[in-house]
Amino acid sequence: MTVYFIGAGPGDPELLTKKAERLIGECPVCLYAGSLVPAEVVAGAPDGALVMDTAPMTLDDTHEQIKIAHDKGQNVARVHSGDPSLYGAIAEQIRRLRSDGIDYEIIPGVPAYAAAAAALGQELTIPEIAQSIVLTRVSMKSTSMPAGETLENFAKTGATLAIHLGVRNLREIERQLAPYYGVDCPVAVVYRVGWPDQMLIRGTLSDIREKVRAEKITRTALILVGPALGEVADFKDSALYDPDMPHVLRPKVRQ
């Protein structure tokens, strides 16, 4: 018996990996985070499967269902949004599985920041503009952040920031980031990426809060901040395809 932690991607059922789709279709037990994973994602569960929305359940509740399945020798599809390795809350589940000697496997999924970049129609790592992406969040009512993992510290790098769980704290985000990025730094707020009601809001650190407020968005949104999000045209081509930069698969320099 195995518990499969399956990354469902950001919401679009067509962004499931083939492996994720296959396992959901094979497991007789499917536990999915219904607040973030559309029912369409688990619609392919086999006939007669136990399909449970874990949104109203506690960690004890979900683990109890897994133990029941384990006793019956049934595999479990534990379906999470995005990629399970990022804010998937799987570490505490894995700790219990290991304690009880239950096997598990992680199936990666499309993370929200990648889906957001695709929806915005752009690359996040532009030569000489931005070559790093920081995936982070703000505390608010969730678990506190480790010492040193602050927006101000990340802002000092000038990297593109992908901020989770922060759309209700845009005033504080602006206050902390503006001294490093400038008030005119481009910002994109991507609401429910991959869902039918997906919304893309572009602005700057100085005006994004009012734009988001006007749309009445208070949750389920990713905030992207950094110069790479702007209309950047004056940048150097990547060395990857530079005819004057040979590499092992293109050893000859242009004559």
Side-chain angles (χ1 to χ4, degrees), residues 20-79:
E21 187 174 40
R22 175 178 64 80
L23 288 171
I24 291 172
E26 293 176 353
C27 290
V29 178
C30 179
L31 307 176
Y32 74 105
S35 60
L36 297 171
V37 176
E40 290 81 3
V41 166
V42 297
D47 291 341
L50 174 64
V51 179
M52 299 183 68
D53 179 359
T54 61
M57 299 168 66
T58 66
L59 178 60
D60 286 340
D61 294 336
T62 58
H63 189 66
E64 182 62 27
Q65 291 298 322
I66 288 172
K67 289 197 297 182
I68 292 172
H70 179 261
D71 291 341
K72 295 179 179 179
Q74 296 177 324
N75 290 338
V76 175
R78 181 67 175 103
V79 185

Side-chain angles (χ1 to χ4, degrees), residues 188-228:
V189 172
V190 184
Y191 171 73
R192 283 167 64 92
V193 62
W195 292 65
D197 58 348
Q198 167 183 299
M199 188 182 303
L200 311 177
I201 304 174
R202 287 184 179 269
T204 66
L205 279 173
S206 64
D207 65 16
I208 194 66
R209 183 169 60 89
E210 292 303 322
K211 291 183 176 182
V212 169
R213 176 186 290 178
E215 298 294 345
K216 297 181 172 59
I217 293 173
T218 60
R219 62 187 300 271
T220 326
L222 178 68
I223 305 163
L224 297 172
V225 181

Side-chain angles (χ1 to χ4, degrees), residues 88-171:
I90 65 172
E92 55 263 46
Q93 297 178 69
I94 290 171
R95 181 167 56 191
R96 292 187 176 213
L97 295 178
R98 287 176 173 171
S99 178
D100 289 340
I102 299 174
D103 292 334
Y104 70 92
E105 184 177 335
I106 300 173
I107 313 302
V110 176
Y113 82 90
L120 291 166
Q122 66 182 96
E123 183 175 356
L124 298 179
T125 51
I126 299 175
E128 298 184 345
I129 303 297
Q131 290 290 286
S132 301
I133 302 169
V134 176
L135 309 177
T136 188
R137 65 173 180 81
V138 294
S139 293
M140 294 193 71
K141 294 182 179 180
S142 55
T143 308
S144 60
M145 296 290 287
E149 291 191 19
T150 66
L151 288 182
E152 289 180 312
N153 281 346
F154 293 138
K156 292 175 183 177
T157 69
T160 302
L161 304 183
I163 305 172
H164 296 73
L165 306 174
V167 74
R168 296 175 63 184
N169 208 21
L170 283 170
R171 184 190 297 274

